[in-house]
């Protein structure tokens, strides 16, 4: 066996001897892999853009929430003699249109008096224990919360009413911090 025959036997036939069918199948497979990789990249970039748009929308809406709070308070404190004034009616109309536009963008107001207290959507500012209460409910809405799609932008600040024993258990100090019992032996 010559040296050329030994090299050919060890490495296989030279590339020029590979059939055109094998080469075209390899190229087609490579092209299919590249196409799939590109489609995955394109899908991933589109998903990232969607997330970025939602994040930007959320940030802008978060900046507008204090403005909505101020408008809510101003409209709630409108004097009776100005309720039918054209200027006051115009401010109310602007507020309604603003709320509709924000709703169209996906902003949803949360927190309603009487609904069940949910710590995932409500921030309890006050708790009132009542012996007749069976579960925790929103007694008063102090500041509305907002959600954008499924994402909570700001929890609703609420006053909660619930069972008295739950309030005592949640507000009681740990045993090591509680004040000592008065001593009945001391003169009195």
């Amino acid at each position: 066996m010559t040296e050329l025959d030994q090299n050919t036997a060890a490495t296989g036939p030279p590339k020029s001897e590979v059939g055109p069918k094998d080469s075209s199948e390899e190229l087609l497979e490579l092209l299919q892999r590249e196409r799939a990789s590109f489609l995955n990249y394109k899908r991933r970039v589109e998903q990232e853009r969607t997330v970025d748009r939602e994040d930007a929308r959320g940030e802008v809406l978060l900046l507008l929430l204090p403005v909505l709070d101020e408008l809510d308070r101003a409209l709630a404190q409108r004097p009776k003699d100005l309720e039918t004034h054209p200027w006051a009616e115009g401010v109310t109309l602007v507020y309604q249109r603003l709320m509709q536009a924000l709703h169209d963008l996906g902003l949803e107001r949360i927190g309603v008096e009487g609904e069940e207290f949910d710590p995932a959507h409500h921030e309890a500012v006050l708790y009132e224990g009542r012996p007749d209460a069976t579960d925790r409910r929103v007694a008063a809405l102090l500041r509305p919360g907002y959600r954008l799609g499924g994402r909570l932008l700001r929890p609703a600040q609420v006053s909660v009413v619930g069972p008295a024993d739950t309030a005592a258990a949640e507000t009681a100090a740990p045993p090591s911090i509680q004040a000592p019992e008065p001593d009945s032996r001391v003169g009195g």
Side-chain angles (χ1 to χ4, degrees), residues 95-112:
Y95 174 74
Q96 291 169 350
R97 286 188 179 170
L98 176 62
M99 290 303 290
Q100 183 60 48
L102 294 174
H103 178 73
D104 292 346
L105 288 172
L107 187 68
E108 179 185 352
R109 190 175 177 152
I110 58 173
V112 178

Side-chain angles (χ1 to χ4, degrees), residues 6-62:
Q6 289 175 346
N7 286 342
T8 303
T11 60
K15 292 205 185 242
S16 62
E17 294 179 20
V18 172
K21 188 172 187 178
D22 293 337
S23 176
S24 65
E25 286 176 6
E26 287 176 12
L27 289 174
L28 180 61
E29 186 178 318
L30 180 64
L31 178 64
Q32 288 172 338
R33 274 194 236 124
E34 287 298 318
R35 175 77 175 151
S37 176
F38 176 73
L39 290 175
N40 287 336
Y41 166 77
K42 189 175 174 182
R43 185 174 35 251
R44 188 174 59 249
V45 166
E46 188 57 38
Q47 287 173 345
E48 289 172 0
R49 284 182 184 164
T50 301
V51 168
D52 289 344
R53 276 192 301 267
E54 287 298 315
D55 287 346
R57 184 181 302 167
E59 289 176 23
V60 169
L61 292 175
L62 201 54

Side-chain angles (χ1 to χ4, degrees), residues 77-180:
Q77 298 299 318
R78 181 177 45 194
K80 293 278 187 201
D81 58 332
L82 289 180
E83 284 185 2
T84 59
H85 191 277
W87 182 84
E89 289 177 348
V91 171
T92 302
L93 183 61
V94 168
Y95 174 74
Q96 291 169 350
R97 286 188 179 170
L98 176 62
M99 290 303 290
Q100 183 60 48
L102 294 174
H103 178 73
D104 292 346
L105 288 172
L107 187 68
E108 179 185 352
R109 190 175 177 152
I110 58 173
V112 178
E113 290 182 14
E115 72 183 351
E116 187 173 349
F117 174 73
D118 180 3
H121 297 112
H122 301 117
E123 179 183 344
V125 178
L126 301 168
Y127 186 89
E128 180 184 350
R130 292 189 185 161
D132 61 331
T134 57
D135 60 350
R136 292 188 243 173
R137 296 262 172 209
V138 174
L141 179 65
L142 306 175
R143 185 185 76 182
Y146 292 92
R147 181 175 38 224
L148 179 62
R151 180 177 146 208
L152 182 68
L153 292 179
R154 181 180 81 183
Q157 287 185 343
V158 297
S159 171
V160 179
V161 64
D165 58 338
T166 305
E170 290 176 356
T171 59
S176 62
I177 301 175
Q178 288 181 346

